[in-house]
């Protein structure tokens, strides 16, 4: 339960206190999280190295896979080192500005996971449905036309979300029950009405939802084209099903995060 005795204090520094309920066992979390972090860094670095070194892998699809590995490599760096230090030394201090920067970086880079899947679906669409135009459409100058709009969309949505959070004043407590500066974990510590800021949570859910709709639409066209032609069905279907599984997983995790905060608000506030 939040401390309500500090209503006349405006906090500008916070403490990240994820897994606080484990008490004295909390430092032992350092080992599994460090090993997972090390495995992630190593595996993604090897994948990126292989794609760079092997000229046979310098095709649009493998480049996109390499970019996905770059996202998976960069994203944990924004919060895992601080989390590991917090586990060992019980130190998780962060300023409001630092918290907002971390929040933007995590959400912006994280949004690339679904956006890259959208680009992969676009690559498969041209490869299967428009094979004669594939190389022309996948040339860097032409492909950038499809890349710019999602990049601008992700930036604008995340900037608006972080800006709204930055305008709040915080007087309830300075303890964030999370391992990093997640948007709603910070916003719920604010004084006054946060109705507008609740839309920020929808923003985080909107990006993968929009990408999922576009990916589903492209795959419907791909399936229709494959079954109509009757050629290379299994290869095309396996590729598309893999994209759908990954996209569905991302969407489910985003939905769980959204619903968890709404349920907490209903039952505990």
């Amino acid at each position: 339960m939040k401390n309500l005795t500090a209503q006349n204090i405006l906090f500008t520094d916070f403490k990240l206190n994820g897994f606080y309920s484990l008490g004295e066992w909390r430092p032992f979390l350092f080992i599994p999280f460090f090993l997972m972090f090390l495995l992630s860094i190593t595996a993604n670095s090897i994948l990126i190295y292989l794609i760079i070194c092997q000229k046979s892998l310098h095709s649009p699809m493998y480049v996109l896979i390499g970019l996905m590995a770059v996202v998976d490599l960069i994203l944990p760096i924004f919060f895992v080192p601080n989390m590991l230090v917090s586990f060992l030394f019980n130190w998780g201090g962060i300023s409001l500005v630092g918290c907002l920067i971390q929040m933007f970086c995590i959400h912006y880079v994280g949004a690339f996971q679904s956006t890259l899947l959208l680009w992969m679906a676009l690559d498969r669409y041209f490869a299967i449905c428009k094979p004669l135009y594939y190389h022309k459409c996948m040339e860097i100058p032409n492909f950038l036309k499809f890349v710019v709009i999602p990049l601008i969309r992700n930036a604008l949505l995340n900037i608006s979300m972080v800006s709204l959070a930055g305008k709040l004043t915080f007087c309830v407590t300075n303890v964030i029950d999370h391992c990093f500066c997640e948007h709603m974990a910070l916003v719920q510590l604010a004084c006054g009405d946060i109705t507008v800021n609740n839309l920020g949570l929808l923003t985080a859910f909107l990006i993968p939802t929009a990408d999922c709709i576009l990916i589903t639409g492209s795959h419907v066209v791909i399936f229709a084209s494959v079954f109509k032609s009757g050629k290379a069905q299994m290869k095309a279907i396996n590729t598309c099903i893999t994209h759908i599984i990954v996209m569905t997983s991302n969407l489910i995790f985003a939905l769980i995060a959204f619903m968890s905060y709404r349920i907490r608000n209903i039952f505990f506030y």
Side-chain angles (χ1 to χ4, degrees):
M1 186 171 180
K2 290 180 170 44
N3 179 16
L4 302 179
T5 62
Q7 293 291 337
N8 60 337
I9 299 176
L10 298 181
F11 295 106
T12 57
D13 295 284
F14 300 90
K15 181 179 179 181
L16 299 170
N17 198 30
F19 299 103
Y20 68 93
S21 60
L22 294 179
E24 61 182 10
W25 294 99
R26 189 169 178 266
F28 291 98
L29 290 176
F30 174 86
I31 297 175
F33 277 97
F34 175 75
L35 292 176
M36 286 188 289
F37 180 61
L38 189 61
L39 178 62
S40 174
I41 295 293
T42 303
N44 286 298
S45 297
I46 292 173
L47 180 58
I48 295 168
Y49 174 78
L50 290 175
I51 293 175
I52 292 175
C53 294
Q54 297 294 326
K55 292 184 178 181
S56 60
L57 301 180
H58 292 180
S59 63
M61 178 55 73
Y62 286 108
V63 170
L64 290 172
I65 292 174
L67 290 175
M68 183 69 80
V70 171
V71 170
D72 292 337
L73 181 67
I74 293 175
L75 187 59
I77 294 176
F78 290 124
F79 66 94
V80 173
N82 285 341
M83 184 176 69
L84 294 177
V85 171
S86 176
F87 288 156
L88 278 183
F89 305 108
N90 197 30
W91 180 87
I94 189 170
S95 65
L96 177 59
V97 173
C99 188
L100 294 174
I101 292 174
Q102 186 187 67
M103 182 194 305
F104 174 80
C105 291
I106 290 174
H107 285 287
Y108 184 63
V109 175
F112 275 99
Q113 292 178 327
S114 63
T115 302
L116 282 168
L117 290 172
L118 175 60
W119 294 342
M120 289 180 183
L122 185 66
D123 175 85
R124 291 299 86 196
Y125 169 79
F126 283 114
I128 296 171
C129 300
K130 305 287 184 180
L132 297 179
Y133 300 95
Y134 176 76
H135 293 290
K136 180 179 179 180
C137 293
M138 288 297 107
E139 289 178 353
I140 296 299
N142 293 326
F143 187 67
L144 287 176
K145 297 177 183 178
F146 302 104
V147 171
V148 171
I149 294 177
L151 289 179
I152 295 175
R153 176 203 64 179
N154 294 356
L156 291 177
L157 288 176
N158 282 288
I159 287 173
S160 63
M161 178 181 68
V162 174
S163 298
L164 288 173
K167 292 180 180 179
L168 296 172
T169 55
F170 303 92
C171 62
V172 177
T173 179
N174 67 337
V175 177
I176 300 176
D177 297 332
H178 215 301
C179 293
F180 57 89
C181 284
E182 204 279 331
H183 176 260
M184 287 307 297
L186 175 66
V187 167
Q188 288 181 342
L189 305 183
C191 314
D193 185 21
I194 60 170
T195 303
V196 176
N197 298 89
N198 283 326
L199 297 177
L201 195 57
L202 285 175
T203 299
F205 185 63
L206 177 63
I207 293 176
T209 302
D211 289 341
C212 184
I213 293 172
L214 293 173
I215 291 172
T216 301
S218 67
H219 285 350
V220 168
V221 175
I222 291 172
F223 285 149
S225 176
V226 167
F227 286 117
K228 184 177 180 180
S229 64
K231 296 179 180 179
Q233 289 189 12
M234 289 308 299
K235 182 178 179 181
I237 291 174
N238 288 338
T239 302
C240 294
I241 288 178
T242 301
H243 292 172
I244 292 174
I245 291 173
V246 176
M247 189 67 248
T248 302
S249 299
N250 287 346
L251 195 61
I252 289 174
F253 288 135
L255 180 62
I256 290 174
F258 174 79
M259 293 303 297
S260 65
Y261 282 107
R262 301 313 304 162
I263 292 172
R264 182 186 299 180
N265 286 341
I266 292 172
F267 288 102
F268 297 100
Y269 292 92

